[in-house]
Amino acid sequence: SFEDEDIARLMNERFVCVKVDREERPDLDAIYMDAVQAMTGSGGWPMTLFLTPDGQPFFAGTYFPPEDRHGMPGFRRVLESVSQAWNEQREQVLSQGKRVVDAIAQTSSLRESHDPLGDDLLRAAHAQLSRAFDVRWGGFGGAPKFPQPMTVEFLLRSHLHGYPGSLDMVRVTLDRMAAGGIRDHVGGGFHRYSVDERWHVPHFEKMLYDNAQLARLYLHGWQITGDERYRTVAVETLDFLLRELRHPDGGFFSSQDADSEGVEGKFYAWHWDDLVDLAGEDVARFYGASPEGNWEEGLNVLWIPDHGASQPDDLDDARHRLFEAREKRVRPATDDKVLASWNGLAIQALAQAGRALGEPGYVDAAEAAAGFVLSALRREDGRLLRSWRDGKAGGPGYADDYAMMAAACLSAYESTFDLRWMGEARRLAEDLIRLFHDSERGGFFQTGEDAEALVLRPKDLFDNAVPSGNSVAAEVLLRLAHLTGENEYERAGVSALRVARTLIQRAPSMFGHALGAVDLYVSPSKEVAVVGDLAAEPTLRLVREVWGRFLPNAVLAAGRPGDEEAARLVPLLAGREPVDGKPAAYVCERFTCKLPVSEPEELAAQLGG
């Protein structure tokens, strides 16, 4: 519609036209998506809204074709009708805009619930998710089917609590996704979603946030089960990020397109003859390919159907040949915008994988990305920014940028014990509270107190494709409270959960990360302090005992004896001393500690196994 010259002329004659990048301006996207849903009952992109000069939406929709089609009004007719209404029925239009804004302001005006936050909320959420689970193909719901890593992470936590069926749901989901065409079996990483319920044919776009969260999910699945397949998927996903989405200076780009040469999936799909020539017929059939194709126009999307075929002996060599051949194709374009929040997710995944797998290169990459974001995406006054591209920084960051980068720095600290990262985590957390916390109603606004005035100040409560700013703020502030004993961190973090409590109870599938934060708050925690020479093997053995486990409700600090700077930044370390000249680990709960231990086996017993 926008490419039609007559429509473009009409747009420019009668309207001020504004195009919004929803990734750079999630605040506008949130406000006006709520408006579209309020006015039409559904939403989606592309999203078209008509606003008063002060930003109040009075008419909206998603896609409008150039001409009337399939019951949809043509965009030319929409433009003419809206223009006529604005000129002839101005008062009604303004009144409609006010009613819409009043309706969509309800989420931002929610107050903290006085109902208790307890494990009954977690059990009820688990029961609802169990009913919605796809027992055959894993995941939740039908086609199109999206990965929901935050929800599956909650199921991993549920397994630790003994909630029935949790690990079975995790395994089915991880196995089916790893076998599906949603996973790139040649180059690593995951596509955006599957158009079917079987995870077979994907929408081929690859997003940084999906791959960061899924890499961490498979890492945790490996830690719980010891299944090497999950470790392999995590490693291949992270290697994809490092190979294809990393800026030379360390930050991570946003995404890769679904199409190349104007055709969706052309880079990834295969003709039968090419597959057989490169990989052999056994490998081709193992990946569900056939001469007539398993997708459209005789093409094959590689996946591993439930056919019981054994893995060919030469599969790894064949995949390498396929990769080399595919690299000669025209590649999908990369959105080389660097977003602070999405980089925070990637940094957490790399830092946690590096320490759990004993891969220092991943930790180095996490530190490099954190350093890049905190320099290139930060003003001289310390204000974190939302985006950066090709040397040009974007506007002020949002609550999710601050929360996810604070969580990233905390993960970097727990992987290196470099005090720089703890200092950055605390600074970001304090700015998060100062700029975004709603001291009257609780929770966190999406925009900072220094942001431009919009028709309303939105709150991002729902965990969608990425965790919401409120959910991550709750988690990271609670984790920092465990390390520092700062009550203000805990108060602000819990307020975000209390604001969302009623919504969590109604629709737990939309609050996967928030449920993890609730679990962190209501369940027993473990605060682990290790003191000793951080370069010496006896100390590192204690640290690795923690690094190797899936302990979602544990925090870890380590430092040298008598390090005053470490004790200041991480009060959990204050007063900790070695035992009989040996490094010591203190396992505490709310700063009440068990007897210190010096052997990994003793620490394992205190950690629960």
Side-chain angles (χ1 to χ4, degrees):
S1 297
F2 296 159
E3 292 173 349
D4 184 297
E5 291 190 6
D6 290 336
I7 289 178
R9 188 178 305 112
L10 183 60
M11 291 169 68
N12 287 318
E13 284 174 356
R14 303 195 188 182
F15 302 88
V16 176
C17 303
V18 180
K19 185 177 180 181
V20 176
D21 181 336
R22 60 183 293 259
E23 293 170 2
E24 292 199 60
R25 291 301 303 267
D27 53 339
L28 297 179
D29 181 63
I31 291 170
Y32 294 120
M33 178 56 77
D34 285 348
V36 171
Q37 292 173 331
M39 284 187 271
T40 70
S42 62
W45 299 274
M47 184 164 64
T48 308
L49 294 105
F50 295 86
L51 317 177
T52 65
D54 61 357
Q56 292 190 344
F58 61 87
F59 184 78
T62 52
Y63 171 69
F64 293 102
E67 305 293 340
D68 295 359
R69 184 189 308 159
H70 305 306
M72 291 187 292
F75 198 43
R76 182 181 288 103
R77 187 155 68 90
V78 169
L79 292 169
E80 290 171 343
S81 298
V82 170
S83 176
Q84 182 179 1
W86 177 253
N87 289 320
E88 299 177 5
Q89 299 171 290
R90 184 75 55 90
E91 289 304 315
Q92 293 95 314
V93 167
L94 293 173
S95 176
Q96 165 76 355
K98 184 179 184 305
R99 287 197 301 272
V100 172
V101 171
D102 289 343
I104 64 178
Q106 293 179 7
T107 298
S108 296
S109 61
L110 287 174
R111 292 182 177 273
E112 292 184 54
S113 170
H114 295 298
D115 293 332
L117 289 168
D119 62 1
D120 57 327
L121 185 63
L122 303 178
R123 290 182 182 277
H126 181 269
Q128 285 196 50
L129 293 172
S130 298
R131 290 192 291 271
F133 182 70
D134 182 342
V135 295
R136 181 175 182 187
W137 296 105
F140 302 88
K145 184 172 281 185
F146 289 80
Q148 296 189 39
M150 289 170 275
T151 302
V152 184
E153 289 272 8
F154 171 66
L155 293 178
L156 280 174
R157 288 172 171 267
S158 299
H159 168 67
L160 296 183
H161 292 308
Y163 295 178
S166 300
L167 190 58
D168 289 339
M169 288 189 281
V170 171
R171 278 189 174 277
V172 172
T173 303
L174 295 187
D175 291 344
R176 293 296 193 181
M177 287 197 303
I182 192 173
R183 177 183 166 214
D184 181 356
H185 292 271
V186 172
F190 286 83
H191 301 293
R192 179 68 193 95
Y193 61 86
S194 171
V195 302
D196 53 72
E197 77 282 358
R198 302 181 299 164
W199 308 107
H200 174 207
V201 177
H203 171 58
F204 289 91
E205 190 176 20
K206 286 182 174 181
M207 309 300 298
L208 174 61
Y209 57 74
D210 282 326
N211 284 282
Q213 292 179 92
L214 287 167
R216 191 164 61 154
L217 173 62
Y218 276 90
L219 173 76
H220 295 161
W222 168 73
Q223 287 180 306
I224 283 283
T225 67
D227 192 326
E228 284 298 312
R229 291 176 302 169
Y230 302 156
R231 182 187 190 279
T232 298
V233 173
V235 167
E236 290 180 355
T237 303
L238 292 174
D239 288 349
F240 154 72
L241 294 182
L242 292 172
R243 184 181 68 245
E244 299 191 27
L245 287 184
R246 192 184 189 197
H247 186 278
D249 293 336
F252 287 91
F253 301 137
S254 297
S255 64
Q256 286 181 335
D257 283 356
D259 61 289
S260 54
E261 301 181 83
V263 179
E264 177 164 354
K266 185 172 184 178
F267 182 76
Y268 300 101
W270 298 87
H271 288 285
W272 171 258
D273 290 342
D274 294 336
L275 267 178
V276 173
D277 288 346
L278 288 163
E281 185 169 339
D282 286 349
V283 170
R285 292 200 181 278
F286 176 76
Y287 278 130
S290 64
E292 61 275 14
N294 64 23
W295 188 36
E296 57 191 27
E297 299 181 5
L299 290 168
N300 290 282
V301 174
L302 302 189
W303 73 313
I304 306 173
D306 192 13
H307 50 34
S310 59
Q311 179 173 307
D313 293 337
D314 63 341
L315 184 64
D316 289 342
D317 290 339
R319 290 174 61 209
H320 179 72
R321 292 192 296 273
L322 291 172
F323 179 81
E324 292 298 323
R326 200 177 75 174
E327 285 294 286
K328 297 174 184 176
R329 299 177 179 178
V330 176
R331 302 182 60 79
T334 297
D335 180 351
D336 58 355
K337 179 168 69 258
V338 177
L339 297 172
S341 60
W342 298 7
N343 269 254
L345 294 173
I347 293 162
Q348 290 179 72
L350 285 161
Q352 292 181 20
R355 71 191 186 220
L357 301 174
E359 292 287 349
Y362 288 158
V363 178
D364 292 344
E367 290 192 279
F372 179 84
V373 171
L374 295 177
S375 57
L377 281 78
R378 193 150 64 176
R379 290 193 315 227
E380 288 185 3
D381 63 0
R383 183 64 161 87
L384 189 65
L385 303 175
R386 172 67 175 178
S387 62
W388 178 96
R389 181 182 178 275
D390 196 23
K392 183 178 179 181
Y398 300 93
D400 62 327
D401 296 305
Y402 274 85
M404 291 184 202
M405 279 306 301
C409 290
L410 184 53
S411 288
Y413 168 74
E414 290 183 298
S415 305
T416 64
F417 310 115
D418 184 338
L419 292 176
R420 172 195 178 186
W421 302 122
M422 176 54 75
E424 293 285 12
R426 295 193 64 170
R427 178 180 178 182
L428 288 164
E430 285 154 13
D431 286 347
L432 172 67
I433 295 171
R434 177 176 59 84
L435 291 168
F436 300 94
H437 186 235
D438 182 348
S439 57
E440 180 183 352
R441 296 184 177 89
F444 292 83
F445 292 110
Q446 189 175 20
T447 55
E449 63 176 14
D450 57 348
E452 65 179 303
L454 303 175
V455 291
L456 58 87
R457 194 176 176 191
K459 282 182 181 173
D460 180 21
L461 299 181
F462 295 93
D463 297 322
N464 292 304
V466 294
S468 74
N470 266 263
S471 297
V472 183
E475 182 200 24
V476 72
L477 290 171
L478 288 170
R479 291 179 67 81
L480 283 168
H482 287 310
L483 286 162
T484 65
E486 290 286 343
N487 290 329
E488 177 58 22
Y489 292 160
E490 180 169 315
R491 279 196 297 269
V494 173
S495 79
L497 300 178
R498 294 195 182 282
V499 164
R501 188 198 183 286
T502 302
L503 298 174
I504 295 171
Q505 192 171 23
R506 291 176 188 167
S509 64
M510 302 183 73
F511 291 91
H513 200 90
L515 285 167
V518 173
D519 179 41
L520 175 62
Y521 176 61
V522 305
S523 302
S525 63
K526 287 185 170 64
E527 301 138 12
V528 185
V530 176
V531 61
D533 181 351
L534 298 181
E537 188 61 25
T539 308
L540 292 174
R541 281 201 298 268
L542 294 173
V543 167
R544 292 191 196 108
E545 192 62 44
V546 183
W547 279 348
R549 296 164 173 269
F550 177 61
L551 298 169
N553 292 338
V555 294
L556 174 64
R560 299 184 307 275
D563 187 333
E564 294 181 2
E565 177 67 5
R568 182 184 67 81
L569 280 173
V570 194
L572 182 63
L573 291 170
R576 311 298 179 197
E577 297 291 341
V579 176
D580 297 329
K582 295 180 180 180
Y586 296 76
V587 178
C588 314
E589 185 173 334
R590 294 191 176 273
F591 282 68
T592 299
C593 304
K594 299 179 180 179
L595 291 174
V597 295
S598 295
E599 297 299 329
E601 296 79 10
E602 298 171 315
L603 176 56
Q606 292 192 359
L607 292 173

